[in-house]
Amino acid sequence: MKKHIFSCLTLAMVISSSALFAQTKAIAHRGVWKNSHLPQNSIASLTAAHELKLFGSEFDVHLTKDNILVVNHDNDFYGIDIATATYKELLEKKHPNGESIPTLEEYINAGKKLKGLRLILELKINKLGVERTLEATTKTVEMVKSLKAEKITDYISFSFEACQKIHELAPKANIQYLTGDKTPAEVKAAGINGLDYHFSVFKKNATWLKDAHQLGMKVNAWTVNTEEEMTNLINQKIDFITTDEPELLLRVLKK
């Protein structure tokens, strides 16, 4: 009898831990900025994501004219075009909290100190063309490797070519394609092991989330800011949700 009870308890613990492991995980879009009033993609907003105990924080990487990788969402930093400016020129502006535009090296080094937080690195499409985008891709992967940050860094991009290049340079990396114009099978065939599509894509293509899971792929959705959409995706067992409202997502996940 005691052995039977012990077996049941053990099974229950396994099921419970499996359910916990499978739970949808929360990713802050450009860090935690909306409710904290911190600048997007700043080191302060990255730190705030760690303080909320989120799974990860997404950020965006650009290449300057003089080949410095910097972190910012828009193609310009307070009016200075990043692709055609030098890093020194970008330092002429600051975020409202006093931070300068972070280099990728600075950003990753800050992230490495935030134990348990994954860095979701978006490689931005360079306005100067595919060749320049792929140069940025190569430099980014080399930077992640040189800083020994492979284990905490996942890659995403709207550039299918960039995703393929990342896979070529880092075959074991987690890579998710963003655009939403390819089926899970097409993405998988290219060596890319994940999808990160706008939530509307999964509503339009009702089987894609399930199809991706059946192919062994991880699935994320962006940018999900309402409880209704969060709940819908959680019920479909999506792996990750990227949101501007991480505080709300955490509350929804606890229900």
Side-chain angles (χ1 to χ4, degrees):
M1 181 67 178
K2 289 182 179 180
K3 184 176 180 180
H4 176 70
I5 293 173
F6 178 78
S7 297
C8 290
L9 287 172
T10 301
L11 179 61
M13 289 173 66
V14 169
I15 292 172
S16 177
S17 63
S18 297
L20 182 64
F21 179 77
Q23 185 182 38
T24 301
K25 296 176 177 60
I27 296 172
H29 185 229
R30 311 175 197 171
V32 172
W33 58 271
K34 187 173 182 180
N35 298 312
S36 65
H37 306 293
L38 294 169
Q40 299 177 16
N41 272 316
S42 63
I43 289 175
S45 66
L46 175 68
T47 303
H50 180 256
E51 291 170 352
L52 272 183
K53 296 180 169 53
L54 301 177
F55 171 79
S57 188
E58 181 266 352
F59 61 101
D60 307 276
V61 176
H62 300 258
L63 186 64
T64 67
K65 179 181 177 180
D66 55 342
N67 295 322
I68 303 298
L69 295 163
V70 294
V71 175
N72 192 62
H73 179 263
D74 296 338
N75 290 325
D76 70 279
F77 186 67
Y78 299 104
I80 302 176
D81 183 66
I82 296 174
T84 58
T86 65
Y87 174 60
K88 184 177 179 180
E89 289 169 336
L90 292 172
L91 292 178
E92 294 173 6
K93 300 281 188 175
K94 289 186 181 294
H95 281 301
N97 69 340
E99 283 187 41
S100 298
I101 187 170
T103 64
L104 178 59
E105 182 174 8
E106 291 169 341
Y107 202 89
I108 290 177
N109 280 330
K112 287 170 64 177
K113 297 175 184 177
L114 306 174
K115 302 302 181 184
L117 182 71
R118 291 195 72 80
L119 303 179
I120 315 301
L121 189 161
E122 180 179 341
L123 201 293
K124 300 294 280 191
I125 295 175
N126 193 292
K127 62 180 285 185
L128 301 181
V130 174
E131 184 176 341
R132 195 64 172 152
T133 298
L134 294 180
E135 285 181 35
T137 303
T138 299
K139 290 181 180 295
T140 296
V141 175
E142 288 174 349
M143 177 68 72
V144 170
K145 288 182 177 180
S146 70
L147 296 175
K148 302 187 186 311
E150 299 102 312
K151 290 184 179 180
I152 63 168
T153 304
D154 298 333
Y155 297 93
I156 59 177
S157 184
F158 283 96
S159 168
F160 198 65
E161 294 88 350
C163 289
Q164 290 176 300
K165 187 67 175 179
I166 295 166
H167 176 65
E168 176 189 326
L169 298 171
K172 295 182 180 180
N174 292 321
I175 309 163
Q176 294 182 323
Y177 179 53
L178 289 167
T179 302
D181 60 342
K182 296 184 185 298
T183 67
E186 288 173 320
V187 175
K188 178 77 171 181
I192 301 164
N193 57 8
L195 299 181
D196 187 356
Y197 288 170
H198 189 266
F199 67 87
S200 63
V201 174
F202 295 115
K203 296 179 81 170
K204 183 179 179 181
N205 302 278
T207 68
W208 278 14
L209 202 161
K210 183 178 179 181
D211 293 345
H213 279 162
Q214 289 178 340
L215 289 168
M217 304 172 77
K218 294 292 186 180
V219 185
N220 193 357
W222 59 270
T223 302
V224 187
N225 292 333
T226 68
E227 182 171 349
E228 179 184 359
E229 297 297 347
M230 290 172 182
T231 301
N232 178 46
L233 290 163
I234 291 166
N235 288 341
Q236 294 181 71
K237 297 181 170 49
I238 198 165
D239 301 286
F240 314 102
I241 289 176
T242 298
T243 180
D244 293 324
E245 302 278 0
E247 300 90 348
L248 172 61
L249 178 54
L250 291 177
R251 291 196 295 272
V252 173
L253 285 168
K254 287 179 180 178
K255 288 186 177 181

